[in-house]
Amino acid sequence: MVNGLSGQRMLIGLAIGIIVLVFLVLKTKVQAFLALIICTVIVGVVGGMPLVNITLEDGKTFGIVNSITSGFGGTLGSIGIIIGFGVMMGQLFEVTGAAKTMAHTFLKLFGRKREEEALALTGFLVSIPIFCDSGFVVLAPIAKAISKATKKSVIGLGVALAAGLVITHSMVPPTPGPLGVCGIFGVDVGKYILLSIVLSIPMAIGCIAYARMFLSKKYYRIENQEGEIVEMPYQEPDYENAFAMDTEGLPGALVSFMPLIVPIILILINTVATALGQTEGFMQILIFLGQPIVAVGLGLIVAIFTLGSGLDRQTVVGEMEKGMMSAGIIMLVTGGGGALGQIIKDSGLGTYMAEGLAKTAIPIIILPLVISTAMRFIQGSGTVAMTTAASISAPILIAAGTSPLLGTVACCVGSLFFGYFNDSYFWVVNRTLGVQEAKDQLTIWSVTSTVAWAIGVVEVLVLSIFM
């Protein structure tokens, strides 16, 4: 018995709730947020939680509605502001052309024969504040221009870019999905940013190798003069005019990168100073400025007064509001995931399941990885996959004494698995690169995302030995 409830009954309620969640998201017109709330209610009702809030002996309120509201509010209270700042900053990057400047800067920095690395790294950084879908649409013309100039396949270049974008989109805050998982697990965002960036690098390297060594030769396609991507006989790259791009009218490199550099440096200072115990005097101010909410907010202010200097007030405000419109559903889905996690926590089901799993030979860290992977494959959304996995597994891992930081990584890694027809990014990448055949689409993008996932799984298993 947990909190006066039957553990087995709560487990049955959770199973029914998850089945209903998957069905609603996959087979009906019900939106993911509403589906999460319905799932939460079903878990509570079937599990035997009070339909009306009651007060326990310790003074705490216990009931389905209380779990929903406290879980929703608690999750968004920690990361909702950062999500808002992040999407507004991303919109300014898009409208001012700063994202293109970042791409061109990396191309010049990396030089010849490293175009895949340059594009992957550009996507790697740009997708930290920008959704990968919009980031790819913005940066794809750069990949096409490089392809035309160097005579390298646009497929290999485009996939390298797409991989860099999706990896940090799935792994590194302040992208909303990872931020939501951090909120659900209650981990320090600064520490997680450092760890996730390190873990994302091998994933990107693996995808670059797949794009260069296999896709570029198997799918040798170049954009013709009419703007159509056509298949041609393979030829070696031509670097004579590779980087002759017109950057007139775009913001400079320093101005473009500054809104990203400022918060990253401040968060790093905060993390290092706190770890070393340097929290007095002037360092106290830096630690305050390095709090993720403050740091990302300062980055947004930098973007407004630098990138936005060439735009009128109405345009800047309008673009930021446009970005905020896209953030609404992400916040709701994240809060819904928090509600589901709270009802599992309040019922004591997490402790019950942890005790059960502890008696088996299955490593408990596999649980969030498996749930996230399954949800990703079933319904397509990486954000829903990772937040659902976190909602279900966080109470269990915490009760079992497993590192919440490692659990966060496992949830995010699982969301990279085999992006295919039910994934919007799958269509953005393939359609933008002119890939029409389903078999080719799966080989070009679904396998690429699975390469990143497989490397991430290995990293999670290795980390579980030390954490």
Side-chain angles (χ1 to χ4, degrees):
M1 300 289 288
V2 285
N3 280 342
L5 305 176
S6 166
Q8 292 183 344
R9 181 173 174 180
M10 283 300 304
L11 190 58
I12 293 172
L14 177 62
I16 295 174
I18 294 301
I19 291 172
V20 171
L21 173 63
V22 172
F23 174 77
L24 290 176
V25 172
L26 189 61
K27 295 293 186 180
T28 74
K29 298 178 181 180
V30 175
Q31 210 280 331
F33 167 64
L34 178 57
L36 280 166
I37 298 301
I38 293 173
C39 170
T40 302
V41 172
I42 291 174
V43 171
V45 172
V46 177
M49 288 187 70
L51 300 179
V52 179
N53 291 338
I54 62 174
T55 302
L56 303 177
E57 294 180 0
D58 58 5
K60 294 182 179 179
T61 303
F62 184 55
I64 295 174
V65 174
N66 181 73
S67 294
I68 292 174
T69 55
S70 61
F72 182 88
T75 302
L76 286 187
S78 61
I79 51 89
I81 296 174
I82 303 178
I83 291 176
F85 288 161
V87 295
M88 285 190 284
M89 188 191 303
Q91 195 65 29
L92 289 178
F93 279 138
E94 289 187 44
V95 73
T96 61
K100 292 184 179 180
T101 296
M102 293 179 195
H104 186 62
T105 300
F106 279 118
L107 288 172
K108 292 170 63 178
L109 179 65
F110 276 74
R112 299 184 177 191
K113 300 183 179 181
R114 297 187 180 91
E115 293 81 15
E116 288 88 354
E117 287 87 345
L119 287 166
L121 182 56
T122 300
F124 195 92
L125 292 180
V126 168
S127 195
I128 292 176
I130 295 178
F131 290 111
C132 57
D133 301 65
S134 57
F136 188 79
V137 172
V138 170
L139 298 176
I142 304 297
K144 293 178 180 179
I146 295 173
S147 173
K148 290 181 70 174
T150 62
K151 305 306 179 185
K152 296 185 78 169
S153 173
V154 71
I155 301 299
L157 295 171
V159 166
L161 170 64
L165 285 161
V166 79
I167 288 169
T168 48
H169 173 85
S170 303
M171 294 292 297
V172 184
T175 303
L179 262 179
V181 177
C182 286
I184 293 170
F185 272 95
V187 304
D188 182 88
V189 176
K191 290 181 180 178
Y192 179 72
I193 287 176
L194 290 175
L195 178 61
S196 61
I197 288 176
V198 172
L199 296 178
S200 296
I201 293 173
M203 299 182 194
I205 292 173
C207 292
I208 290 170
Y210 177 69
R212 171 182 284 146
M213 299 172 65
F214 179 74
L215 295 180
S216 290
K217 295 182 178 180
K218 180 176 177 60
Y219 299 99
Y220 186 77
R221 300 177 184 181
I222 304 289
E223 190 176 60
N224 60 22
Q225 296 299 322
E226 288 72 36
E228 300 174 340
I229 296 177
V230 295
E231 190 168 355
M232 298 177 63
Y234 179 78
Q235 56 181 305
E236 291 298 318
D238 173 18
Y239 291 103
E240 289 300 323
N241 300 309
F243 304 126
M245 291 188 197
D246 183 12
T247 58
E248 184 178 353
L250 297 179
L254 180 61
V255 173
S256 297
F257 281 105
M258 194 58 65
L260 282 179
I261 295 173
V262 169
I264 288 174
I265 291 177
L266 289 173
I267 291 173
L268 286 174
I269 291 174
N270 169 31
T271 302
V272 173
T274 302
L276 297 177
Q278 302 296 317
T279 59
E280 301 297 329
F282 181 69
M283 293 305 297
Q284 194 173 38
I285 298 176
L286 291 179
I287 289 173
F288 168 73
L289 296 177
Q291 297 295 317
I293 289 177
V294 180
V296 178
L298 289 174
L300 175 59
I301 292 174
V302 171
I304 292 172
F305 287 101
T306 56
L307 296 176
S309 62
L311 303 174
D312 58 70
R313 176 185 177 279
Q314 186 176 1
T315 300
V316 172
V317 173
E319 289 297 329
M320 288 192 293
E321 290 178 351
K322 182 179 177 181
M324 282 298 297
M325 291 172 63
S326 66
I329 186 58
I330 299 298
M331 291 186 181
L332 289 174
V333 171
T334 301
L340 178 58
Q342 190 67 37
I343 208 164
I344 294 173
K345 179 180 178 180
D346 290 348
S347 68
L349 179 59
T351 302
Y352 176 81
M353 291 182 67
E355 292 173 350
L357 287 172
K359 299 176 183 178
T360 70
I362 301 175
I364 198 167
I365 193 57
I366 296 297
L367 181 65
L369 189 61
V370 170
I371 295 173
S372 182
T373 298
M375 288 297 295
R376 159 67 169 180
F377 183 77
I378 291 170
Q379 52 78 45
S381 169
T383 299
V384 173
M386 66 177 74
T387 53
T388 301
S391 302
I392 295 170
S393 63
I396 301 170
L397 267 65
I398 292 171
T402 303
S403 168
L405 193 62
L406 183 57
T408 303
V409 172
C411 290
C412 294
V413 167
S415 70
L416 284 164
F417 181 72
F418 201 77
Y420 70 117
F421 305 118
N422 57 2
D423 175 20
S424 63
Y425 195 53
F426 170 89
W427 295 109
V428 170
V429 172
N430 279 307
R431 291 296 182 180
T432 304
L433 297 179
V435 184
Q436 303 292 334
E437 296 296 326
K439 180 181 178 182
D440 295 340
Q441 292 171 343
L442 294 172
T443 304
I444 288 170
W445 183 243
S446 301
V447 175
T448 301
S449 64
T450 306
V451 168
W453 170 84
I455 294 173
V457 169
V458 173
E459 291 175 332
V460 169
L461 296 178
V462 172
L463 283 175
S464 67
I465 300 174
F466 303 99
M467 299 176 68

